[in-house]
Amino acid sequence: EYMAWYGDLDDEIYDMWDNTVKSDPQYRKAYKLGIEGGSDKPPFPKGSFAATIWSNEYAAGAMDN
């Protein structure tokens, strides 16, 4: 029961994240560049939300490989 609840919560949070990062062109670009990989340095100003999005997706991709 806990795992089902946790899974549902995880899905909701992911959907919120996905909608947020795809709602703005700059954030959508950061998301795409993070997923695609490439340079290991963020192409966005340090501390910006776009850099955070890029870092999150880049790290997730690195863990998948």
Side-chain angles (χ1 to χ4, degrees), residues 11-25 27-28 31 49 53 57:
D11 289 344
E12 286 180 39
I13 291 170
Y14 178 80
D15 289 343
M16 288 172 52
W17 170 258
D18 199 49
N19 289 336
T20 299
V21 301
K22 292 181 179 174
S23 66
D24 179 276
Y27 301 156
R28 194 170 35 248
Y31 183 82
F49 187 53
I53 293 168
E57 300 310 319

Side-chain angles (χ1 to χ4, degrees), residues 26 29-31 33 41-48 50-51 54:
Q26 181 179 9
K29 180 180 178 185
Y31 183 82
L33 290 174
K41 297 193 189 281
F44 302 96
K46 185 176 183 173
S48 68
W54 179 89

